[in-house]
Amino acid sequence: MTAAPPVLAPELARAIDKRSTELVHAYLRTLSEKERKAAFPAVVAYTKEELRDWRGGYAAVAGLAFLGCAPTAKRAMTALNRGSLRWERRSIPRRMALDLLAVRDVPWLAELAQLWAQASRLSDVAEWKLVDAIAGAAGAERPQTAGFARGWIAWVHRQPDSYAALTAGTYAHRLLPMLFEDDTMGREPELTHPSTSFNTALLRLAGDDPSIRTMLVDGCLARLLRGGRPGDLRSFIAMYDELNVTPQEIGARVADFAGLADADLGTLATLAQRSLRQADEAGLLEVDTLLDVTAIILRRKEKGLIKTQISWVRKAAKRHPARRTELLASLDLPETPDLLPSTPPIAPTVPQMPPPIMTPAEVAEEIAAIMSGDRSMVTMERVMAAVVELYGRDRAGLIAAITPVVDPSRNNLLSHWTSDFWRECGAMLVDLLEPPGRRSTWLMEAFADLRADHALARPLSDSERSPSTLLEIRLATIKRYLRRTPVPRLVATPTQTNGHLDPEVLLGRLEQAERDGWQPWHADLVQALLRLPRVDPGDGVRARAGRLTSPAGQALARLFRDGHRDPVVTAYAQDGRGSRYSWYGKLPDRRMAVMMQPPANADPVEAALFAYPRHQKPRSSPWIPGSGAPLWTGAFPSHREVVAAWALTQLAMSADSANAGGAAAQILPLLAENHGPTGPATQLALVYGMTAPEAADRVAAVDALLGFGTAVDWQATGQHLGDCVAAGSLVLTRAATVLRDTAEAGAIETAWQISVGALPALLALPKPRVGTADLLQLAERCTRTLGRRARVEGLDAVADRGGSSQFAKAAKGLRDALAGVL
């Protein structure tokens, strides 16, 4: 016989049903510890169904009841991981939970805190504070897990005095090592906010506490030695640069730097080479180590690194006459100029999309991941595709699977879907749970005038548009049409993780749709066409497309025949004089911006998203890419100039307002990986990245300068740089350092064109800007390497003035190089 389910006391059942944490807390306080433990199975059984379909406030009472009755830490954690409660544990009232645990006097508080910290990312501050308080109540050391460290960093970010928060207690010494030990923590240090920068506080702490500085230097090196994707390592390269590591510190870690010289990424090898050279010039590097490093560098493909190594070894030979012959023999190379010519960058291999989601249970897991912070384009696209396919194939199974994750009462969605497109995602999911015939009215729909024949039926204001708008439209389309005019599948799901869609795959989808007698939704088709790469699909694919008769098939055939349509992007100067202050800081007197006009006869969706108006004044409240940058580039993988135009306001503010950083690190490398023409928006985006105050942004700018290859008009980019610096809004020394690193990494042609493009505007100034001499010297090195002969407007006048300043000498040196004078 099956045992009868345990019965919950009526008083506790009523308290739970009323969603009253106060009543749950008061009732459990009246019980003995034996009675509380005995009630635990009944609480679990009573809440089982409710946790599948809870209403507002239920997570708080269920979680509080579990903590007030659980007999062990493991059983408490198992209960707290049930259903959607694992995404809502932050709502458990901290003071009541701690009071109940104190009354119970359980011996397993430290174990509970450890299990909780291991099971959660704790990126929500409220949940982290609860776990932290539980560990404190146990008198135990705080958990050393990546999840707990994330919560602590998030808490530091929210404090008005980030340095005071960072130095409170023993957290820093215990948790900072997790930044370097867990490979998933790479982007955490990039999360900075105006006036409460975690990075700024961390660097200050490193200056005050030698042990912290040692930890950071060693940690950066250890993490860089393990390698990984450039985006995961960028913050550690930036942190290393900001620490200004001394030759003495480098000399004590020579073996680590020597290992880094053999790293896959050229950026890391450049960092190692630069550091070891500092140690050598300070007399802290053994000649044998220099010989070993030289052998490593000469095996690499980056000519800039090789040339720098040759120059270094030749200078070292003069300082070590007893080993001169051995050092020069290690080069085994003919005489070469100061830099080697650059070579075209190797295009990175873009990963393929993961396999499609096949079951309702997988959909629920991915939706839960989105609600807990996974806002990637890959996850969103897989979820949308699966929802559409499974709704037609197994609607009951889909709804049963997602109901425990998506609260049908809609009360919990607002805490997750904070921006327009996430709110639209929540609305779409909730709408699937409504009985047929009913329609959600709780959400103000941004696209209330959607029609079947057009994705947009009215013009959108500036505040309603961004590259994310296309995702919002597609989500709204699913919400509106999945019941009325369902389709078997979406056609816009990409085949690569950067958003590109293989032309032959899209052709196969449209051929199947035509055979089955259905037409893709308009917004879905527009997105699919925008995702086609700018490559020749081949005569066979074109011929197959030409045989299609449906509107979607004919649209594909036209694109194969005519290619992508592009907007017209024009740069102009904004007048910021008299602009009001904002929390970003004072806006500049002059800022370069762009306007965008859609192509003639553009589709309504393209017309809305390929248009950006002219604004006379600099803007202070732009769209901020942040973690949404891959969504932008993923929607327009063949239109990077469009994405650059939309991102430009935020990139400009990062540079000219010395605030709101991080945009360049997010967006520039993605633009370099994508397709499409470049113009003034891309050029200015790179200028703002090169002059950004955040080191991570400037590292990303180097990556982008290398990644774009010959796709950008580099001389025009230089002209924008010179113009903006001359106007007084940008810092030239930052750009000079970026260009130096770019040249040393092998892109000497790029660095040269930008430098000579920028110089006329800078040389025309009555007083040279700081950094102009550095740019002149770099231009001279590049000129001699490339053997160029050219004329730079204004250079003769400056060189003829003479003088002993570094600026005057650098001007004469460049003029001689451009004239072929040795």
Side-chain angles (χ1 to χ4, degrees):
M1 293 180 62
T2 303
V7 178
L8 190 65
E11 297 88 345
L12 185 53
R14 282 194 296 271
I16 292 174
D17 291 341
K18 289 181 178 180
R19 311 320 192 235
S20 173
T21 53
E22 290 82 3
L23 291 177
V24 170
H25 172 256
Y27 177 76
L28 291 177
R29 245 182 160 274
T30 66
L31 302 182
S32 66
E33 181 61 14
K34 182 177 180 180
E35 289 171 327
R36 294 188 194 101
K37 291 180 180 178
F40 182 72
V43 172
V44 172
Y46 190 77
T47 57
K48 182 177 181 180
E49 291 303 319
E50 293 286 349
L51 283 175
R52 291 179 179 271
D53 187 23
W54 86 77
R55 299 297 190 264
Y58 196 80
V61 296
L64 185 63
F66 291 152
L67 289 174
C69 298
T72 66
K74 289 182 179 178
R75 294 188 69 182
M77 204 63 235
T78 299
L80 291 170
N81 278 326
R82 294 177 65 220
S84 297
L85 178 55
R86 64 182 179 273
W87 312 117
E88 289 290 329
R89 290 191 293 252
R90 65 180 181 277
S91 64
I92 300 172
R94 185 168 73 255
R95 291 183 180 178
M96 293 182 189
L98 291 171
D99 180 68
L100 277 178
L101 291 169
V103 168
R104 297 185 63 191
D105 194 24
V106 295
W108 38 260
L109 287 185
E111 181 186 3
L112 175 63
Q114 185 66 31
L115 291 173
W116 201 326
Q118 289 172 345
S120 301
R121 293 175 62 87
L122 294 180
S123 54
D124 184 271
V125 172
E127 187 180 3
W128 175 80
K129 290 171 73 173
L130 176 54
V131 178
D132 177 65
I134 290 173
E141 291 284 1
R142 269 44 176 188
Q144 280 185 286
T145 69
F148 193 79
R150 276 192 181 88
W152 172 65
I153 292 173
W155 175 78
V156 171
H157 280 316
R158 292 196 181 185
Q159 306 313 301
D161 186 338
S162 55
Y163 183 75
L166 186 70
T167 54
T170 61
Y171 296 96
H173 286 273
R174 288 184 57 80
L175 298 180
L176 285 176
M178 298 306 305
L179 281 175
F180 314 105
E181 295 171 8
D182 190 292
D183 287 352
T184 66
M185 297 284 285
R187 300 186 186 273
E188 297 300 322
E190 293 181 355
L191 300 175
T192 59
H193 301 284
S195 76
T196 58
S197 167
F198 178 80
N199 285 0
T200 302
L202 186 57
L203 291 171
R204 178 180 169 188
L205 178 59
D208 295 343
D209 188 334
S211 67
I212 292 291
R213 179 178 176 85
T214 299
M215 177 199 304
L216 297 183
V217 174
D218 289 339
C220 284
L221 278 175
R223 180 62 190 91
L224 295 176
L225 281 167
R226 289 205 304 276
R229 293 173 60 87
D232 294 330
L233 300 178
R234 192 171 293 124
S235 62
F236 299 108
I237 297 173
M239 186 183 297
Y240 176 86
D241 288 340
E242 290 169 342
L243 284 167
N244 294 318
V245 180
T246 66
Q248 289 72 26
E249 290 172 316
I250 297 168
R253 300 167 174 82
V254 165
D256 289 338
F257 284 100
L260 206 58
D262 202 21
D264 291 337
L265 290 176
T267 309
L268 299 183
T270 300
L271 181 151
Q273 184 186 59
R274 183 175 71 245
S275 301
L276 288 170
R277 188 170 185 175
Q278 286 180 297
D280 181 45
E281 291 173 350
L284 301 173
L285 193 71
E286 297 289 338
V287 173
D288 289 338
T289 302
L290 175 55
L291 291 169
D292 292 341
V293 171
T294 300
I296 292 171
I297 294 294
L298 294 183
R299 292 197 301 266
R300 299 188 65 92
K301 298 178 181 179
E302 300 92 343
K303 292 186 177 181
L305 280 169
I306 295 172
K307 183 50 198 172
T308 298
Q309 195 67 26
I310 293 170
S311 174
W312 173 13
V313 171
R314 285 176 173 162
K315 290 181 180 179
K318 296 178 182 179
R319 288 186 279 106
H320 301 282
R323 311 272 313 255
R324 174 183 174 83
T325 302
E326 188 178 2
L327 284 166
L328 294 178
S330 71
L331 300 178
D332 193 25
L333 290 171
E335 292 293 325
T336 56
D338 192 45
L339 289 172
L340 289 180
S342 57
T343 55
I346 299 173
T349 301
V350 180
Q352 298 294 306
M353 286 282 287
I357 298 172
M358 302 302 294
T359 67
E362 290 180 84
V363 176
E365 288 181 8
E366 295 301 317
I367 291 173
I370 291 174
M371 294 176 71
S372 64
D374 180 358
R375 304 297 171 82
S376 68
M377 184 274 295
V378 171
T379 302
M380 281 298 303
E381 291 292 339
R382 295 177 74 230
V383 166
M384 287 193 296
V387 164
V388 171
E389 292 194 35
L390 289 171
Y391 190 84
R393 193 168 71 234
D394 184 11
R395 179 177 183 274
L398 175 65
I399 291 176
I402 70 173
T403 297
V405 181
V406 181
D407 180 2
S409 73
R410 310 170 183 87
N411 290 330
N412 73 319
L413 286 176
L414 290 175
S415 64
H416 294 291
W417 319 110
T418 53
S419 66
D420 286 342
F421 56 89
W422 297 117
R423 249 194 288 268
E424 197 67 48
C425 182
M428 180 268 287
L429 294 171
V430 164
D431 198 62
L432 297 181
L433 306 182
E434 293 283 5
R438 288 183 56 187
R439 181 165 176 252
S440 300
T441 58
W442 71 283
L443 180 68
M444 181 181 294
E445 297 178 2
F447 307 104
D449 294 325
L450 284 169
R451 297 200 306 265
D453 57 339
H454 284 296
L456 283 174
R458 63 178 174 85
L460 298 178
S461 68
D462 291 349
S463 63
E464 291 176 317
R465 292 183 298 127
S466 82
S468 301
T469 303
L470 187 50
L471 175 59
E472 297 171 42
I473 295 170
R474 294 173 64 213
L475 289 166
T477 300
I478 295 173
K479 175 178 179 290
R480 183 170 294 265
Y481 297 134
L482 195 54
R483 286 183 175 149
R484 300 179 186 180
T485 55
V487 294
R489 67 180 305 176
L490 298 179
V491 299
T493 306
T495 53
Q496 292 185 306
T497 56
N498 67 349
H500 272 138
L501 174 54
D502 185 275
E504 192 164 4
V505 171
L506 177 57
L507 174 60
R509 292 172 183 173
L510 295 184
E511 287 174 332
Q512 185 65 48
E514 195 164 299
R515 285 193 297 268
D516 295 342
W518 59 274
Q519 177 74 6
W521 291 324
H522 180 73
D524 188 37
L525 177 63
V526 170
Q527 175 65 96
L529 297 176
L530 287 170
R531 281 185 163 152
L532 290 174
R534 294 182 185 246
V535 296
D536 184 355
D539 293 338
V541 171
R542 266 194 300 271
R544 284 168 56 192
R547 290 192 289 270
L548 294 175
T549 59
S550 66
Q554 292 174 356
L556 179 63
R558 281 195 300 273
L559 191 142
F560 283 163
R561 182 186 68 239
D562 302 334
H564 283 285
R565 294 177 293 188
D566 295 298
V568 176
V569 182
T570 308
Y572 67 97
Q574 294 175 327
D575 184 356
R577 289 173 295 184
S579 298
R580 298 173 62 184
Y581 283 78
S582 71
W583 69 274
Y584 287 103
K586 188 178 185 298
L587 293 173
D589 289 343
R590 181 177 180 275
R591 176 189 287 170
M592 289 302 296
V594 297
M595 61 179 294
M596 188 163 52
Q597 296 173 298
N601 302 318
D603 176 272
V605 178
E606 289 182 339
L609 302 178
F610 283 10
Y612 195 85
R614 183 185 184 100
H615 297 279
Q616 295 301 325
K617 295 286 186 181
R619 304 183 72 195
S620 61
S621 55
W623 288 90
I624 301 176
S627 61
L631 294 174
W632 287 24
T633 55
F636 297 90
S638 293
H639 293 274
R640 50 187 168 191
E641 179 76 353
V642 173
V643 178
W646 282 103
L648 200 60
T649 297
Q650 176 61 23
L651 292 168
M653 294 188 68
S654 297
D656 62 30
S657 301
N659 219 328
Q666 295 285 345
I667 204 84
L668 291 184
L670 296 177
L671 292 178
E673 292 176 2
N674 280 1
H675 291 186
T678 64
T682 304
Q683 296 158 12
L684 285 167
L686 290 164
V687 166
Y688 293 135
M690 286 189 285
T691 54
E694 294 282 348
D697 286 334
R698 298 195 299 275
V699 171
V702 174
D703 291 343
L705 292 174
L706 298 172
F708 271 109
T710 59
V712 175
D713 184 338
W714 295 121
Q715 193 138 358
T717 303
Q719 291 168 359
H720 283 306
L721 173 63
D723 178 57
C724 292
V725 170
S729 58
L730 302 182
V731 178
L732 180 59
T733 52
R734 298 169 184 163
T737 301
V738 167
L739 292 173
R740 181 205 66 196
D741 292 346
T742 301
E744 291 181 352
I748 300 172
E749 178 72 27
T750 297
W752 182 79
Q753 289 199 33
I754 295 175
S755 299
V756 298
L759 283 171
L762 299 173
L763 296 175
L765 295 172
K767 181 178 180 181
R769 291 275 190 271
V770 176
T772 306
D774 296 332
L775 198 65
L776 286 164
Q777 291 170 348
L778 175 63
E780 179 188 350
R781 294 176 63 201
C782 294
T783 298
R784 294 190 184 282
T785 298
L786 298 172
R788 293 298 173 83
R789 302 292 179 267
R791 183 178 180 278
V792 175
E793 184 178 351
L795 182 62
D796 288 340
V798 174
D800 287 341
R801 293 178 199 164
S804 58
S805 68
Q806 185 183 22
F807 173 63
K809 292 178 180 178
K812 185 177 184 304
L814 176 58
R815 183 177 66 174
D816 291 345
L818 290 170
V821 178
L822 298 177

